Amino acid sequence: MKIYHTSKLPGRTVVTIDGQEFLWFTGTDYLGMGHNEDLRRYVNSATETFGNHYGSSRNNSLRLDIYDETESHLADYLQNEAAIIVSSGMWAGQLVMKEIENIVQQQPTIARIFYHYAPGVHPALWGHVFQRNEGEWSEWASQTVRKINATDSDVAHILCMDAVGSPMVKAFDFTLLNGVQKPANLWLIIDESHSLGVTGSSGNGVAEQIDPKLLTKTIFVSSLNKALGIPAGAIWGSKTVVETVRKSPWFAGASPPAPAYAYALKMLLEQNKYAAARVVLMDNIAYFNAKMEGNALFETVSDYPVFCSTNAALFDHLLQNGIMASCFPYPSPADAPVTRIAISSLHQKEDLDRLAEVCKRFNA
């Protein structure tokens, strides 16, 4: 696999260090925040007040109010009780995995805990007795429900899963989990890194797809550095869960994200900048789908900006026609590479026309 290098952040296009220019159709900057002028302006202005970073614990005796203010706005955006931000999405997941048994054991009737890991779950949610599952998600979900229903009432079950499949994009049918007979003993941990800002009625992710009886014990984690463009991570759910995380030594001992970016996140939420970028993204997705109607080249899901293929030759074909997608093994070097195309809010209609034209030629 050839590696390409660039000295400048890609946007609509990317220029490699040897001078080649390509249309850039990959990455995870779905809302185009990498080049968003509002985000740049908010960060630049905030450094005057908050400095370049915060060299302290969030649980110190002196605390910056901007973190709490931002978390309140984020919880409102997510339509959830509470949220807390940390340094990265990976740490958000691992922090929850380190604290989940303390959270579960607040229920005094629980004597044992079983873990269930969905196929393809991101490494952020790899925890106790993790084993990779290569099966189909729907089959895993149905089998897991049967296992849960066959266990005693003093057993808690922790299900770890992604909100949407990555790198090979897949949608998951969360209604399959509704058959659990003892929902009080079930905890869901869902990684929203590839759905936050994109899916849901307002970009707030997959919460509205979860049965209300399961939602009270669902913990969401996410990178904020994909669609939302903020170098940080987040955890959200019930106030009890968030407060347990806040008191954790794993939270107290970890450096927080830069407060200037916390301020920028607050302002982008307040001013509905993400909503505006999402409108453009949805229009771009619909436009490209209309151009590719009837073409079975890709694995994709409805109203989602990622289009995948296991055919590595597609990546080379795109490159030869001035388009750079991505194709590499993920998450481990032993995994099969996936050719992955991602549309963003930065793309223009002529970019999408060119992408559709080149893709159709490959599939002719």
Side-chain angles (χ1 to χ4, degrees):
M1 180 181 67
K2 184 176 179 180
I3 303 297
Y4 294 83
H5 294 269
T6 183
S7 58
K8 186 178 180 181
L9 185 73
R12 286 180 50 243
T13 63
V14 59
V15 179
T16 61
I17 57 172
D18 59 1
Q20 297 183 80
E21 184 172 8
F22 299 89
L23 284 173
W24 170 252
F25 274 102
T26 189
T28 59
D29 187 16
Y30 306 123
L31 298 181
M33 289 293 138
H35 292 277
N36 183 274
E37 289 300 326
D38 292 307
L39 173 53
R40 183 180 288 118
R41 177 166 49 85
Y42 293 143
V43 170
N44 288 342
S45 66
T47 57
E48 294 296 320
T49 302
F50 300 112
N52 298 323
H53 79 115
Y54 186 49
S56 182
S57 169
R58 285 280 308 275
N59 289 358
N60 201 335
S61 52
L62 179 67
R63 304 183 183 185
L64 278 176
D65 289 343
I66 187 59
Y67 290 114
D68 292 337
E69 293 169 8
T70 298
E71 287 161 353
S72 177
H73 280 77
L74 182 60
D76 289 344
Y77 171 70
L78 298 167
Q79 300 175 30
N80 220 300
E81 284 188 13
I84 193 166
I85 60 175
V86 295
S87 58
S88 73
M90 179 65 82
W91 183 233
Q94 284 296 294
L95 176 52
V96 167
M97 297 309 293
K98 289 179 183 298
E99 283 294 331
I100 186 59
E101 294 195 11
N102 291 331
I103 292 168
V104 170
Q105 288 167 346
Q106 292 175 14
Q107 187 174 334
T109 58
I110 297 302
R112 292 173 293 161
I113 296 174
F114 291 170
Y115 288 81
H116 308 269
Y117 294 95
V121 63
H122 191 274
L125 298 185
W126 293 3
H128 188 61
V129 296
F130 171 74
Q131 290 185 326
R132 292 190 71 170
N133 186 332
E134 304 295 344
E136 286 296 320
W137 197 95
S138 57
E139 182 179 343
W140 167 83
S142 297
Q143 289 178 350
T144 300
V145 168
R146 288 195 291 271
K147 290 178 183 177
I148 292 171
N149 289 340
T151 57
D152 296 332
S153 59
D154 65 350
V155 178
H157 297 269
I158 300 169
L159 277 62
C160 304
M161 65 195 76
D162 290 352
V164 62
S166 179
M168 180 60 75
V169 62
K170 294 180 184 294
F172 302 132
D173 182 5
F174 296 106
T175 64
L176 292 173
L177 304 177
N178 295 351
V180 171
Q181 295 168 1
K182 297 183 282 286
N185 290 9
L186 176 65
W187 288 85
L188 306 182
I189 307 176
I190 302 179
D191 189 333
E192 290 256 38
S193 294
H194 290 278
S195 51
L196 180 61
V198 177
T199 62
S201 57
S202 59
N204 60 318
V206 299
E208 57 203 40
Q209 299 178 38
I210 308 298
D211 190 292
K213 70 182 181 183
L214 305 180
L215 198 56
T216 57
K217 290 194 173 180
T218 299
I219 304 172
F220 298 95
V221 303
S222 183
S223 169
L224 301 180
N225 203 21
K226 293 180 169 55
L228 302 192
I230 303 296
I235 300 163
W236 63 98
S238 71
K239 290 181 180 178
T240 300
V241 164
V242 169
E243 283 308 306
T244 300
V245 169
R246 190 181 298 275
K247 295 172 183 175
S248 166
W250 300 101
F251 175 77
S255 296
Y261 277 98
Y263 173 82
L265 175 58
K266 172 191 168 185
M267 294 304 297
L268 290 165
L269 291 168
E270 271 188 0
Q271 301 299 319
N272 294 316
K273 300 297 183 180
Y274 291 127
R278 185 173 178 271
V279 168
V280 177
L281 176 63
M282 291 298 125
D283 183 61
N284 281 349
I285 294 169
Y287 185 87
F288 180 69
N289 278 331
K291 289 284 181 180
M292 295 297 293
E293 188 174 4
N295 194 301
L297 179 59
F298 299 116
E299 290 279 342
T300 189
V301 299
S302 178
D303 297 324
Y304 195 69
V306 177
F307 302 81
C308 295
S309 172
T310 55
N311 191 337
L314 174 61
F315 175 74
D316 295 325
H317 172 75
L318 293 167
L319 277 178
Q320 292 163 9
N321 288 275
I323 297 171
M324 185 175 286
S326 61
C327 187
F328 64 100
Y330 180 89
S332 80
D335 290 302
V338 172
T339 299
R340 183 179 183 276
I341 293 169
I343 289 171
S344 82
S345 300
L346 295 176
H347 288 119
Q348 299 176 3
K349 294 298 186 287
E350 56 263 35
D351 304 333
L352 301 171
D353 288 339
R354 176 62 177 164
L355 177 63
E357 174 195 346
V358 171
C359 288
K360 286 178 180 178
R361 203 183 308 150
F362 176 80
N363 209 31

